[in-house]
Amino acid sequence: MDIKLNFINNSNDLNNSKIVIFQKNVADGVPETAVAWKVIKTCGPGENHPFVFPTTMQVSSNDSYGNYTPQIDAYPGDLFAVLQAGSGNRIHHEGRATAPTEVHVRNSLVKGAIGVNIHKAHRPLATQVPIATGQTAVFKFAPTLWIGPVSQVSEGQVMNAAMVSSITTELSLLGLASADIVMTGGGASAQPFAFALQNVVLV
């Protein structure tokens, strides 16, 4: 079931800050990067921004020519393979991954590296690149969202480790049906922004 969220700006922000929302790929051995899943812009003090965070996700792959396979539904414990199909590639469900909490995508092409992508609401949530022939991309997500202010970032952009580490607020989604995400702080007093869940409705 989708989680209904509502970002509310109760801050004293004077700089029209952008707010980034993302998840981290917490699979072992994955570099500390993340994708800006959602960026809230020009939502001034007193305004709100409702959005939906789906519990379902999709997987796709892309090649060095900029081509993307169609997005197909993926669930924790799924194993996929990217195969050559005619003049292009396709992503195929192969069975069960070796870990029930992870999504695995194996590059089964004869040659050529690929990128592997996870999507939520058909927007990029995580990516791994390059995945060489015979290698497997691994994705695992905790039931949390990370949120914080950023200066320059766009939806779908891969954020570097420094940007990811600067975002320190983690909000639990466990058991949520809906909630407000309320931002406070900012303004002339230079108080740091703070984010908290309010009006929480559980499943």
Side-chain angles (χ1 to χ4, degrees):
M1 124 180 217
D2 293 342
I3 302 171
K4 296 179 180 179
L5 298 170
N6 183 33
F7 172 79
I8 300 175
N9 186 349
N10 280 349
S11 76
N12 300 306
D13 182 24
L14 302 176
N15 299 316
N16 201 20
S17 301
K18 292 181 178 180
I19 305 301
V20 65
I21 298 170
F22 61 94
Q23 283 193 303
K24 292 182 180 181
N25 183 0
V26 297
D28 290 341
V30 175
E32 178 77 348
T33 60
V35 174
W37 176 73
K38 184 170 185 64
V39 177
I40 298 174
K41 299 179 286 187
T42 67
C43 184
E47 292 187 306
N48 69 292
H49 184 105
F51 65 99
V52 171
F53 187 78
T55 53
T56 56
M57 59 185 166
Q58 298 78 39
V59 64
S60 73
S61 69
N62 60 283
D63 62 23
S64 59
Y65 302 102
N67 304 309
Y68 286 76
T69 63
Q71 298 176 23
I72 60 175
D73 288 343
Y75 301 91
D78 279 346
L79 167 66
F80 297 88
V82 177
L83 310 164
Q84 187 164 0
S87 59
N89 300 333
R90 68 183 179 95
I91 190 165
H92 173 72
H93 185 264
E94 290 275 285
R96 303 302 295 170
T98 54
T101 58
E102 298 176 349
V103 173
H104 293 183
V105 184
R106 184 174 60 241
N107 182 352
S108 294
L109 298 174
V110 175
K111 63 177 181 178
I114 59 170
V116 180
N117 316 289
I118 297 291
H119 310 261
K120 289 256 189 181
H122 301 285
R123 295 198 302 269
L125 178 77
T127 189
Q128 285 191 48
V129 64
I131 305 299
T133 296
Q135 291 185 335
T136 299
V138 180
F139 298 92
K140 179 182 178 180
F141 302 100
T144 61
L145 284 180
W146 293 83
I147 184 169
V150 288
S151 54
Q152 295 294 327
V153 72
S154 302
E155 284 187 0
Q157 179 181 334
V158 176
M159 301 183 293
N160 60 33
M163 186 179 293
V164 172
S165 63
S166 73
I167 307 297
T168 58
T169 301
E170 184 180 15
L171 302 174
S172 175
L173 301 176
L174 199 60
L176 278 192
S178 64
D180 293 332
I181 303 174
V182 180
M183 180 174 79
T184 55
S189 61
Q191 290 292 318
F193 289 118
F195 303 84
L197 291 178
Q198 297 182 13
N199 302 316
V200 170
V201 176
L202 300 177
V203 176

